[in-house]
Amino acid sequence: MSSIKELISQMTLEEKAGLCSGLDFWHTKPVERLGVRSVMVSDGPHGLRKQDDKADHLGINESIKAVCMPAACATAASFDRELIGSMGEAIGRSCQHEEVSVVLGPAVNIKRSPLCGRNFEYLSEDPYLAGEMAAALINGIQSQNVGTSIKHFAANSQEHRRMSSSSNVDERTLREIYLPAFETAVKKAQPWTVMCSYNRINGVYASENPWLLTDVLRGEWGFQGYVMSDWGAVSDRVAGLAAGLDLEMPASGGINDRKIVEAVRAGELDEAVVDRAVERILTVSEKYLANARPETEWDLEADHLLAARIAQDCMVLLKNEGVLPLNREDDIAFIGEFAAKPRFQGGGSSHINCFKTTSALEAAQEQGLSVTYAQGYSVAQDSASDEMIAEAAAAASSARVAVVFAGLPDSYESEGYDRTHLDLPASQNAVIEAVAAANPNTVVVLHNGSPVTMPWLDRVSAVLEAYLGGQAVGLAAVRVLYGDVNPSGHLAETFPRKLEDNPSYLFYGGEADEADYREGVFVGYRYYDRKDMDVLFPFGHGLSYTTFACSDLRMSASEITDQDQLTVTVTVTNTGSRAGRAVIQLYVGDKESTVRRPLRELKGFEKPELQPGESTDVTFVLDSRAFAYWNRDLHDWHVETGEFTVEIGQSSRAIELCGTVTVKSTVKLKKHYTKDSIFMDIMEDPDAAKVIQPLLNEMGKMFGPGEDASDAASEAISAEMGMAMMRYMPLRGVVSFAGGAADADMLDHLLEALNSL
Ligand code: BGC
């Protein structure tokens, strides 16, 4: 490190300012006279999108041939840290081979609404799941000595007006919902870089937000790497640099570099801030360069098979009335253009130039399966002619089982804009209806990056959610459909019955540049569960060709403090007749709390593999954070003393076991009382209650039993009413209502006594 400092000491101010922005679209700048080399960064995140010099960042120009792994919408559904880690290792190897120092990902923004155009790139509506999966991917990639850039930091949950919109989010919601995925990834995986988002947060651009980029990211979480801007996210470069934005991407044509130099010369910016940014950037680049291994082999075919293995463990069996798995001997009809040309990735900066793809039709034919094909609908025309529908129905009626491959066309969801509805193309819905009418054994396979409505759900026998499963999705789908692989994906998001049910529905997108996150912490299942609302498929849902049961919930203690850990163990048994993997989820809920909290929140998950009849114990360790909420007075996490539920289930709506633990807080919340504090709040603290009790007794007389309280019972009721009426009275009320027993001086003394407790 000292050599980097030494190098920096030899640089001119112009050279240093220059290093704070890119050379072009994808490279950092060199300083040749000092031997500082330029390094490359590339998208990401589910494969390598390395572009040549004629680069653009929207995926218009071709990039090198690479392997498209399943997108984040799919990988999150695997609930499998190891699997996503192995995907990271493969991506890391491809970067080593291609001399890329940093992959631009993972993208971990919370799926606030199913409308966000980029949801296919994001992991979940749940911050715990998103954080765990992001950390696993980062650790996998960085194990190959290639950096990552976790993005888009932060609160970037819409594409609409993405470069100017302000995400107006209260402190608690930011801390509980929109920041934790970043926090977990930083703490567990220390990404080499962080990419700040385009949007503003409560009015301040993420790219020039010192609270976000420095206080929270570095001060609280201990981030060590450098922060880069999203492409073109810089508004005021000098303010950004001071706030902690180290590298501006892409190149700014020298304009912003000059502004940095001028600001230093004018005494408006400390040169040490420039040195700091350069040191951070060079430290990361050096880490890569010191162990660069361009000789690393990149076996595209092997990665294609890995992509299939990952995709098959991500698919979510949403519904199955027994028609799946298919028999290899049966005549099956594959219907829908996506059977021959699957949609397996989304549009925009993550778009990968695949070296090959495998469709379900090809995979089935290669395996000699008896499959007929009807196109059903045209993706390009967004239509299905009467002939196509008739042909689909005919193919369906002459097969034992009809499998319709449906989903969203590219134009329906992409980076750069949001969706306006949740529906599949009408043409595809019409084909599904016609096929279901022709054959009761109809299966729907879905290729989409975000929830869709399913008006035909009651009329089909099975639904397999394949998401955007990467270039080998067809092979994976055939393996799952025919039972070579037992499906084990579970939803990382809720599928609502209709768009209007979504908690952000009334506010999503915002008005002009103000996007108010008014639903607060009630995002996804946190809302649906609190409202006890019917959903199409709940968070965490996923079926298997076998069944699992959870039993024997054990907890290491029935009472702990907020300093302790709680170990939770359950036995999981495969109660069916096939080997398979269960996704066991642990949710925590505060039974009674002074703040409004979700009914349950995911705090642990494990994915054991079990043979038929086999049992295993699964263990979770919960620390105080699992019970905490963000307290806006403390500006910190806080656990309220009381009882918490610990629930174990196979979805947020399939809870099988429930235990209770009492957690005792060791933190006394210090309240500041004023003359406007109301009696009810003061009485809540037993020490404060003692101070005001004498006064209360006096006042109780005023509001106490009236003259007509003739017997003991009505006297008691009347006393109770008196107290009830006084609950909301501010302390200053004593001057008017204590019947001369209190004056302004006394009030001051009282407040002094209360505030010195
Ligand atoms: C996207 C980023 C991406 C960058 C570089 C931006 O438009 O928001 O996710 O990494 O371009 O392509």
Side-chain angles (χ1 to χ4, degrees), residues 607-637:
K607 194 171 184 180
E609 178 159 13
L610 293 165
Q611 297 301 316
E614 192 187 347
S615 293
T616 192
D617 278 355
V618 167
T619 298
F620 307 90
V621 179
L622 303 178
D623 58 17
S624 75
R625 184 69 180 269
F627 303 96
Y629 73 97
W630 183 265
N631 182 297
R632 57 183 183 192
D633 297 325
L634 288 177
H635 304 292
D636 200 357
W637 298 100

PDB file of all heavy atoms in Angstrom, residues 607-637:
ATOM      1  N   LYS A 607     -31.353 -25.363   2.603  1.00  0.00           N
ATOM      2  CA  LYS A 607     -31.874 -26.198   1.513  1.00  0.00           C
ATOM      3  C   LYS A 607     -31.291 -27.607   1.590  1.00  0.00           C
ATOM      4  O   LYS A 607     -30.378 -27.952   0.836  1.00  0.00           O
ATOM      5  CB  LYS A 607     -31.540 -25.516   0.178  1.00  0.00           C
ATOM      6  CG  LYS A 607     -32.303 -26.093  -1.002  1.00  0.00           C
ATOM      7  CD  LYS A 607     -32.126 -25.269  -2.257  1.00  0.00           C
ATOM      8  CE  LYS A 607     -32.979 -25.813  -3.387  1.00  0.00           C
ATOM      9  NZ  LYS A 607     -32.861 -25.068  -4.631  1.00  0.00           N
ATOM     10  N   PRO A 608     -31.810 -28.433   2.501  1.00  0.00           N
ATOM     11  CA  PRO A 608     -31.262 -29.783   2.621  1.00  0.00           C
ATOM     12  C   PRO A 608     -31.710 -30.693   1.472  1.00  0.00           C
ATOM     13  O   PRO A 608     -32.804 -30.531   0.941  1.00  0.00           O
ATOM     14  CB  PRO A 608     -31.851 -30.280   3.947  1.00  0.00           C
ATOM     15  CG  PRO A 608     -33.126 -29.526   4.093  1.00  0.00           C
ATOM     16  CD  PRO A 608     -32.894 -28.177   3.456  1.00  0.00           C
ATOM     17  N   GLU A 609     -30.851 -31.650   1.141  1.00  0.00           N
ATOM     18  CA  GLU A 609     -31.192 -32.654   0.118  1.00  0.00           C
ATOM     19  C   GLU A 609     -31.495 -33.956   0.831  1.00  0.00           C
ATOM     20  O   GLU A 609     -30.728 -34.397   1.694  1.00  0.00           O
ATOM     21  CB  GLU A 609     -30.002 -32.832  -0.829  1.00  0.00           C
ATOM     22  CG  GLU A 609     -30.275 -33.882  -1.874  1.00  0.00           C
ATOM     23  CD  GLU A 609     -29.384 -33.741  -3.095  1.00  0.00           C
ATOM     24  OE1 GLU A 609     -28.396 -32.988  -3.027  1.00  0.00           O
ATOM     25  OE2 GLU A 609     -29.693 -34.396  -4.098  1.00  0.00           O
ATOM     26  N   LEU A 610     -32.609 -34.569   0.492  1.00  0.00           N
ATOM     27  CA  LEU A 610     -33.032 -35.758   1.245  1.00  0.00           C
ATOM     28  C   LEU A 610     -33.523 -36.869   0.320  1.00  0.00           C
ATOM     29  O   LEU A 610     -34.271 -36.630  -0.630  1.00  0.00           O
ATOM     30  CB  LEU A 610     -34.167 -35.385   2.207  1.00  0.00           C
ATOM     31  CG  LEU A 610     -33.796 -34.450   3.368  1.00  0.00           C
ATOM     32  CD1 LEU A 610     -35.046 -33.869   4.001  1.00  0.00           C
ATOM     33  CD2 LEU A 610     -32.956 -35.199   4.398  1.00  0.00           C
ATOM     34  N   GLN A 611     -33.113 -38.090   0.651  1.00  0.00           N
ATOM     35  CA  GLN A 611     -33.628 -39.278  -0.038  1.00  0.00           C
ATOM     36  C   GLN A 611     -35.022 -39.584   0.528  1.00  0.00           C
ATOM     37  O   GLN A 611     -35.351 -39.137   1.628  1.00  0.00           O
ATOM     38  CB  GLN A 611     -32.702 -40.474   0.219  1.00  0.00           C
ATOM     39  CG  GLN A 611     -31.291 -40.313  -0.332  1.00  0.00           C
ATOM     40  CD  GLN A 611     -31.275 -40.099  -1.834  1.00  0.00           C
ATOM     41  OE1 GLN A 611     -31.994 -40.782  -2.567  1.00  0.00           O
ATOM     42  NE2 GLN A 611     -30.499 -39.118  -2.292  1.00  0.00           N
ATOM     43  N   PRO A 612     -35.830 -40.375  -0.194  1.00  0.00           N
ATOM     44  CA  PRO A 612     -37.162 -40.706   0.350  1.00  0.00           C
ATOM     45  C   PRO A 612     -37.040 -41.309   1.747  1.00  0.00           C
ATOM     46  O   PRO A 612     -36.181 -42.158   1.985  1.00  0.00           O
ATOM     47  CB  PRO A 612     -37.705 -41.743  -0.643  1.00  0.00           C
ATOM     48  CG  PRO A 612     -36.931 -41.529  -1.887  1.00  0.00           C
ATOM     49  CD  PRO A 612     -35.604 -40.954  -1.515  1.00  0.00           C
ATOM     50  N   GLY A 613     -37.838 -40.832   2.655  1.00  0.00           N
ATOM     51  CA  GLY A 613     -37.840 -41.368   4.020  1.00  0.00           C
ATOM     52  C   GLY A 613     -36.739 -40.802   4.906  1.00  0.00           C
ATOM     53  O   GLY A 613     -36.761 -40.988   6.118  1.00  0.00           O
ATOM     54  N   GLU A 614     -35.775 -40.123   4.317  1.00  0.00           N
ATOM     55  CA  GLU A 614     -34.640 -39.628   5.116  1.00  0.00           C
ATOM     56  C   GLU A 614     -35.010 -38.365   5.902  1.00  0.00           C
ATOM     57  O   GLU A 614     -35.813 -37.553   5.439  1.00  0.00           O
ATOM     58  CB  GLU A 614     -33.477 -39.317   4.160  1.00  0.00           C
ATOM     59  CG  GLU A 614     -32.164 -39.079   4.873  1.00  0.00           C
ATOM     60  CD  GLU A 614     -31.061 -38.607   3.917  1.00  0.00           C
ATOM     61  OE1 GLU A 614     -31.228 -38.695   2.676  1.00  0.00           O
ATOM     62  OE2 GLU A 614     -30.035 -38.125   4.431  1.00  0.00           O
ATOM     63  N   SER A 615     -34.399 -38.234   7.079  1.00  0.00           N
ATOM     64  CA  SER A 615     -34.589 -37.027   7.897  1.00  0.00           C
ATOM     65  C   SER A 615     -33.242 -36.382   8.162  1.00  0.00           C
ATOM     66  O   SER A 615     -32.213 -37.066   8.202  1.00  0.00           O
ATOM     67  CB  SER A 615     -35.180 -37.382   9.259  1.00  0.00           C
ATOM     68  OG  SER A 615     -36.484 -37.850   9.109  1.00  0.00           O
ATOM     69  N   THR A 616     -33.270 -35.097   8.382  1.00  0.00           N
ATOM     70  CA  THR A 616     -32.050 -34.408   8.803  1.00  0.00           C
ATOM     71  C   THR A 616     -32.425 -33.232   9.696  1.00  0.00           C
ATOM     72  O   THR A 616     -33.550 -32.733   9.624  1.00  0.00           O
ATOM     73  CB  THR A 616     -31.224 -33.940   7.581  1.00  0.00           C
ATOM     74  OG1 THR A 616     -29.936 -33.524   8.025  1.00  0.00           O
ATOM     75  CG2 THR A 616     -31.874 -32.772   6.870  1.00  0.00           C
ATOM     76  N   ASP A 617     -31.467 -32.809  10.496  1.00  0.00           N
ATOM     77  CA  ASP A 617     -31.691 -31.615  11.313  1.00  0.00           C
ATOM     78  C   ASP A 617     -31.153 -30.400  10.581  1.00  0.00           C
ATOM     79  O   ASP A 617     -30.075 -30.442   9.991  1.00  0.00           O
ATOM     80  CB  ASP A 617     -30.969 -31.753  12.662  1.00  0.00           C
ATOM     81  CG  ASP A 617     -31.784 -32.569  13.651  1.00  0.00           C
ATOM     82  OD1 ASP A 617     -32.941 -32.930  13.313  1.00  0.00           O
ATOM     83  OD2 ASP A 617     -31.268 -32.845  14.739  1.00  0.00           O
ATOM     84  N   VAL A 618     -31.898 -29.324  10.622  1.00  0.00           N
ATOM     85  CA  VAL A 618     -31.464 -28.067  10.024  1.00  0.00           C
ATOM     86  C   VAL A 618     -31.356 -27.054  11.151  1.00  0.00           C
ATOM     87  O   VAL A 618     -32.247 -26.970  11.997  1.00  0.00           O
ATOM     88  CB  VAL A 618     -32.504 -27.614   8.970  1.00  0.00           C
ATOM     89  CG1 VAL A 618     -32.276 -26.188   8.565  1.00  0.00           C
ATOM     90  CG2 VAL A 618     -32.463 -28.530   7.757  1.00  0.00           C
ATOM     91  N   THR A 619     -30.261 -26.304  11.157  1.00  0.00           N
ATOM     92  CA  THR A 619     -30.015 -25.376  12.265  1.00  0.00           C
ATOM     93  C   THR A 619     -29.868 -23.938  11.782  1.00  0.00           C
ATOM     94  O   THR A 619     -29.236 -23.688  10.755  1.00  0.00           O
ATOM     95  CB  THR A 619     -28.730 -25.814  13.011  1.00  0.00           C
ATOM     96  OG1 THR A 619     -28.966 -27.112  13.528  1.00  0.00           O
ATOM     97  CG2 THR A 619     -28.403 -24.875  14.159  1.00  0.00           C
ATOM     98  N   PHE A 620     -30.453 -23.031  12.514  1.00  0.00           N
ATOM     99  CA  PHE A 620     -30.356 -21.592  12.215  1.00  0.00           C
ATOM    100  C   PHE A 620     -29.811 -20.889  13.452  1.00  0.00           C
ATOM    101  O   PHE A 620     -30.181 -21.247  14.570  1.00  0.00           O
ATOM    102  CB  PHE A 620     -31.734 -20.998  11.915  1.00  0.00           C
ATOM    103  CG  PHE A 620     -32.508 -21.723  10.848  1.00  0.00           C
ATOM    104  CD1 PHE A 620     -33.359 -22.769  11.180  1.00  0.00           C
ATOM    105  CD2 PHE A 620     -32.394 -21.349   9.521  1.00  0.00           C
ATOM    106  CE1 PHE A 620     -34.093 -23.430  10.200  1.00  0.00           C
ATOM    107  CE2 PHE A 620     -33.125 -22.001   8.535  1.00  0.00           C
ATOM    108  CZ  PHE A 620     -33.970 -23.046   8.876  1.00  0.00           C
ATOM    109  N   VAL A 621     -29.006 -19.890  13.246  1.00  0.00           N
ATOM    110  CA  VAL A 621     -28.528 -19.093  14.376  1.00  0.00           C
ATOM    111  C   VAL A 621     -29.027 -17.664  14.197  1.00  0.00           C
ATOM    112  O   VAL A 621     -28.751 -17.026  13.174  1.00  0.00           O
ATOM    113  CB  VAL A 621     -26.988 -19.126  14.472  1.00  0.00           C
ATOM    114  CG1 VAL A 621     -26.523 -18.259  15.647  1.00  0.00           C
ATOM    115  CG2 VAL A 621     -26.487 -20.560  14.644  1.00  0.00           C
ATOM    116  N   LEU A 622     -29.786 -17.199  15.171  1.00  0.00           N
ATOM    117  CA  LEU A 622     -30.336 -15.841  15.087  1.00  0.00           C
ATOM    118  C   LEU A 622     -29.597 -14.931  16.046  1.00  0.00           C
ATOM    119  O   LEU A 622     -29.411 -15.275  17.214  1.00  0.00           O
ATOM    120  CB  LEU A 622     -31.825 -15.851  15.453  1.00  0.00           C
ATOM    121  CG  LEU A 622     -32.730 -16.765  14.633  1.00  0.00           C
ATOM    122  CD1 LEU A 622     -34.161 -16.696  15.155  1.00  0.00           C
ATOM    123  CD2 LEU A 622     -32.688 -16.386  13.154  1.00  0.00           C
ATOM    124  N   ASP A 623     -29.200 -13.762  15.557  1.00  0.00           N
ATOM    125  CA  ASP A 623     -28.623 -12.786  16.479  1.00  0.00           C
ATOM    126  C   ASP A 623     -29.632 -11.659  16.688  1.00  0.00           C
ATOM    127  O   ASP A 623     -30.748 -11.705  16.153  1.00  0.00           O
ATOM    128  CB  ASP A 623     -27.266 -12.269  15.973  1.00  0.00           C
ATOM    129  CG  ASP A 623     -27.385 -11.637  14.612  1.00  0.00           C
ATOM    130  OD1 ASP A 623     -28.529 -11.301  14.219  1.00  0.00           O
ATOM    131  OD2 ASP A 623     -26.364 -11.471  13.939  1.00  0.00           O
ATOM    132  N   SER A 624     -29.233 -10.641  17.442  1.00  0.00           N
ATOM    133  CA  SER A 624     -30.216  -9.632  17.842  1.00  0.00           C
ATOM    134  C   SER A 624     -30.853  -8.940  16.638  1.00  0.00           C
ATOM    135  O   SER A 624     -32.002  -8.524  16.686  1.00  0.00           O
ATOM    136  CB  SER A 624     -29.566  -8.607  18.757  1.00  0.00           C
ATOM    137  OG  SER A 624     -28.756  -7.763  18.002  1.00  0.00           O
ATOM    138  N   ARG A 625     -30.117  -8.842  15.537  1.00  0.00           N
ATOM    139  CA  ARG A 625     -30.655  -8.178  14.354  1.00  0.00           C
ATOM    140  C   ARG A 625     -31.936  -8.859  13.846  1.00  0.00           C
ATOM    141  O   ARG A 625     -32.799  -8.218  13.251  1.00  0.00           O
ATOM    142  CB  ARG A 625     -29.553  -8.160  13.296  1.00  0.00           C
ATOM    143  CG  ARG A 625     -29.870  -7.438  12.037  1.00  0.00           C
ATOM    144  CD  ARG A 625     -29.974  -5.931  12.254  1.00  0.00           C
ATOM    145  NE  ARG A 625     -30.287  -5.344  10.972  1.00  0.00           N
ATOM    146  CZ  ARG A 625     -29.377  -4.919  10.116  1.00  0.00           C
ATOM    147  NH1 ARG A 625     -28.098  -4.940  10.421  1.00  0.00           N
ATOM    148  NH2 ARG A 625     -29.739  -4.431   8.949  1.00  0.00           N
ATOM    149  N   ALA A 626     -32.022 -10.175  14.074  1.00  0.00           N
ATOM    150  CA  ALA A 626     -33.204 -10.911  13.610  1.00  0.00           C
ATOM    151  C   ALA A 626     -34.474 -10.440  14.317  1.00  0.00           C
ATOM    152  O   ALA A 626     -35.584 -10.643  13.837  1.00  0.00           O
ATOM    153  CB  ALA A 626     -33.007 -12.404  13.839  1.00  0.00           C
ATOM    154  N   PHE A 627     -34.317  -9.804  15.470  1.00  0.00           N
ATOM    155  CA  PHE A 627     -35.479  -9.371  16.252  1.00  0.00           C
ATOM    156  C   PHE A 627     -35.665  -7.850  16.215  1.00  0.00           C
ATOM    157  O   PHE A 627     -36.639  -7.323  16.738  1.00  0.00           O
ATOM    158  CB  PHE A 627     -35.304  -9.812  17.716  1.00  0.00           C
ATOM    159  CG  PHE A 627     -35.100 -11.297  17.868  1.00  0.00           C
ATOM    160  CD1 PHE A 627     -33.822 -11.841  17.975  1.00  0.00           C
ATOM    161  CD2 PHE A 627     -36.188 -12.154  17.868  1.00  0.00           C
ATOM    162  CE1 PHE A 627     -33.633 -13.212  18.085  1.00  0.00           C
ATOM    163  CE2 PHE A 627     -36.009 -13.530  17.988  1.00  0.00           C
ATOM    164  CZ  PHE A 627     -34.726 -14.058  18.093  1.00  0.00           C
ATOM    165  N   ALA A 628     -34.705  -7.166  15.619  1.00  0.00           N
ATOM    166  CA  ALA A 628     -34.653  -5.708  15.755  1.00  0.00           C
ATOM    167  C   ALA A 628     -35.461  -4.961  14.699  1.00  0.00           C
ATOM    168  O   ALA A 628     -35.713  -5.474  13.612  1.00  0.00           O
ATOM    169  CB  ALA A 628     -33.199  -5.247  15.689  1.00  0.00           C
ATOM    170  N   TYR A 629     -35.848  -3.769  15.038  1.00  0.00           N
ATOM    171  CA  TYR A 629     -36.385  -2.819  14.059  1.00  0.00           C
ATOM    172  C   TYR A 629     -35.510  -1.583  14.146  1.00  0.00           C
ATOM    173  O   TYR A 629     -34.732  -1.417  15.102  1.00  0.00           O
ATOM    174  CB  TYR A 629     -37.860  -2.490  14.355  1.00  0.00           C
ATOM    175  CG  TYR A 629     -38.037  -1.606  15.563  1.00  0.00           C
ATOM    176  CD1 TYR A 629     -38.203  -0.218  15.426  1.00  0.00           C
ATOM    177  CD2 TYR A 629     -38.001  -2.136  16.848  1.00  0.00           C
ATOM    178  CE1 TYR A 629     -38.330   0.603  16.540  1.00  0.00           C
ATOM    179  CE2 TYR A 629     -38.127  -1.329  17.952  1.00  0.00           C
ATOM    180  CZ  TYR A 629     -38.286   0.033  17.802  1.00  0.00           C
ATOM    181  OH  TYR A 629     -38.382   0.842  18.897  1.00  0.00           O
ATOM    182  N   TRP A 630     -35.612  -0.702  13.159  1.00  0.00           N
ATOM    183  CA  TRP A 630     -34.810   0.521  13.175  1.00  0.00           C
ATOM    184  C   TRP A 630     -35.555   1.582  13.980  1.00  0.00           C
ATOM    185  O   TRP A 630     -36.671   1.969  13.629  1.00  0.00           O
ATOM    186  CB  TRP A 630     -34.537   1.020  11.766  1.00  0.00           C
ATOM    187  CG  TRP A 630     -33.657   2.238  11.766  1.00  0.00           C
ATOM    188  CD1 TRP A 630     -34.057   3.533  11.716  1.00  0.00           C
ATOM    189  CD2 TRP A 630     -32.232   2.269  11.856  1.00  0.00           C
ATOM    190  NE1 TRP A 630     -32.965   4.371  11.770  1.00  0.00           N
ATOM    191  CE2 TRP A 630     -31.833   3.627  11.851  1.00  0.00           C
ATOM    192  CE3 TRP A 630     -31.236   1.286  11.948  1.00  0.00           C
ATOM    193  CZ2 TRP A 630     -30.494   4.026  11.924  1.00  0.00           C
ATOM    194  CZ3 TRP A 630     -29.911   1.684  12.012  1.00  0.00           C
ATOM    195  CH2 TRP A 630     -29.556   3.033  11.999  1.00  0.00           C
ATOM    196  N   ASN A 631     -34.934   2.007  15.066  1.00  0.00           N
ATOM    197  CA  ASN A 631     -35.574   2.995  15.932  1.00  0.00           C
ATOM    198  C   ASN A 631     -35.148   4.394  15.498  1.00  0.00           C
ATOM    199  O   ASN A 631     -33.958   4.729  15.505  1.00  0.00           O
ATOM    200  CB  ASN A 631     -35.163   2.730  17.385  1.00  0.00           C
ATOM    201  CG  ASN A 631     -35.832   3.691  18.340  1.00  0.00           C
ATOM    202  OD1 ASN A 631     -35.618   4.897  18.272  1.00  0.00           O
ATOM    203  ND2 ASN A 631     -36.664   3.159  19.223  1.00  0.00           N
ATOM    204  N   ARG A 632     -36.129   5.199  15.112  1.00  0.00           N
ATOM    205  CA  ARG A 632     -35.758   6.486  14.517  1.00  0.00           C
ATOM    206  C   ARG A 632     -35.365   7.546  15.543  1.00  0.00           C
ATOM    207  O   ARG A 632     -34.830   8.580  15.160  1.00  0.00           O
ATOM    208  CB  ARG A 632     -36.836   6.996  13.573  1.00  0.00           C
ATOM    209  CG  ARG A 632     -38.163   7.129  14.215  1.00  0.00           C
ATOM    210  CD  ARG A 632     -39.187   7.565  13.214  1.00  0.00           C
ATOM    211  NE  ARG A 632     -40.425   7.743  13.942  1.00  0.00           N
ATOM    212  CZ  ARG A 632     -41.596   7.909  13.400  1.00  0.00           C
ATOM    213  NH1 ARG A 632     -41.708   7.942  12.101  1.00  0.00           N
ATOM    214  NH2 ARG A 632     -42.666   8.058  14.131  1.00  0.00           N
ATOM    215  N   ASP A 633     -35.619   7.281  16.817  1.00  0.00           N
ATOM    216  CA  ASP A 633     -35.092   8.210  17.828  1.00  0.00           C
ATOM    217  C   ASP A 633     -33.636   7.894  18.136  1.00  0.00           C
ATOM    218  O   ASP A 633     -32.802   8.778  18.260  1.00  0.00           O
ATOM    219  CB  ASP A 633     -35.915   8.133  19.122  1.00  0.00           C
ATOM    220  CG  ASP A 633     -37.352   8.562  18.876  1.00  0.00           C
ATOM    221  OD1 ASP A 633     -37.540   9.477  18.052  1.00  0.00           O
ATOM    222  OD2 ASP A 633     -38.270   7.967  19.463  1.00  0.00           O
ATOM    223  N   LEU A 634     -33.379   6.587  18.242  1.00  0.00           N
ATOM    224  CA  LEU A 634     -31.998   6.171  18.523  1.00  0.00           C
ATOM    225  C   LEU A 634     -31.112   6.302  17.292  1.00  0.00           C
ATOM    226  O   LEU A 634     -29.909   6.318  17.394  1.00  0.00           O
ATOM    227  CB  LEU A 634     -31.961   4.693  18.917  1.00  0.00           C
ATOM    228  CG  LEU A 634     -32.484   4.249  20.263  1.00  0.00           C
ATOM    229  CD1 LEU A 634     -32.399   2.735  20.372  1.00  0.00           C
ATOM    230  CD2 LEU A 634     -31.646   4.881  21.371  1.00  0.00           C
ATOM    231  N   HIS A 635     -31.727   6.325  16.108  1.00  0.00           N
ATOM    232  CA  HIS A 635     -31.014   6.171  14.834  1.00  0.00           C
ATOM    233  C   HIS A 635     -30.167   4.904  14.876  1.00  0.00           C
ATOM    234  O   HIS A 635     -28.992   4.902  14.528  1.00  0.00           O
ATOM    235  CB  HIS A 635     -30.137   7.388  14.519  1.00  0.00           C
ATOM    236  CG  HIS A 635     -30.904   8.669  14.500  1.00  0.00           C
ATOM    237  ND1 HIS A 635     -31.844   8.945  13.526  1.00  0.00           N
ATOM    238  CD2 HIS A 635     -30.900   9.720  15.337  1.00  0.00           C
ATOM    239  CE1 HIS A 635     -32.387  10.117  13.780  1.00  0.00           C
ATOM    240  NE2 HIS A 635     -31.832  10.615  14.862  1.00  0.00           N
ATOM    241  N   ASP A 636     -30.797   3.849  15.325  1.00  0.00           N
ATOM    242  CA  ASP A 636     -30.066   2.588  15.467  1.00  0.00           C
ATOM    243  C   ASP A 636     -31.069   1.435  15.538  1.00  0.00           C
ATOM    244  O   ASP A 636     -32.258   1.645  15.745  1.00  0.00           O
ATOM    245  CB  ASP A 636     -29.233   2.629  16.771  1.00  0.00           C
ATOM    246  CG  ASP A 636     -28.094   1.612  16.745  1.00  0.00           C
ATOM    247  OD1 ASP A 636     -27.972   0.851  15.764  1.00  0.00           O
ATOM    248  OD2 ASP A 636     -27.326   1.592  17.729  1.00  0.00           O
ATOM    249  N   TRP A 637     -30.526   0.221  15.429  1.00  0.00           N
ATOM    250  CA  TRP A 637     -31.362  -0.960  15.595  1.00  0.00           C
ATOM    251  C   TRP A 637     -31.744  -1.094  17.059  1.00  0.00           C
ATOM    252  O   TRP A 637     -30.933  -0.790  17.937  1.00  0.00           O
ATOM    253  CB  TRP A 637     -30.614  -2.209  15.126  1.00  0.00           C
ATOM    254  CG  TRP A 637     -30.287  -2.133  13.668  1.00  0.00           C
ATOM    255  CD1 TRP A 637     -29.090  -1.784  13.118  1.00  0.00           C
ATOM    256  CD2 TRP A 637     -31.180  -2.364  12.578  1.00  0.00           C
ATOM    257  NE1 TRP A 637     -29.188  -1.782  11.748  1.00  0.00           N
ATOM    258  CE2 TRP A 637     -30.455  -2.138  11.383  1.00  0.00           C
ATOM    259  CE3 TRP A 637     -32.526  -2.734  12.477  1.00  0.00           C
ATOM    260  CZ2 TRP A 637     -31.028  -2.268  10.123  1.00  0.00           C
ATOM    261  CZ3 TRP A 637     -33.087  -2.869  11.218  1.00  0.00           C
ATOM    262  CH2 TRP A 637     -32.348  -2.644  10.055  1.00  0.00           C
TER     263      TRP A 637
END
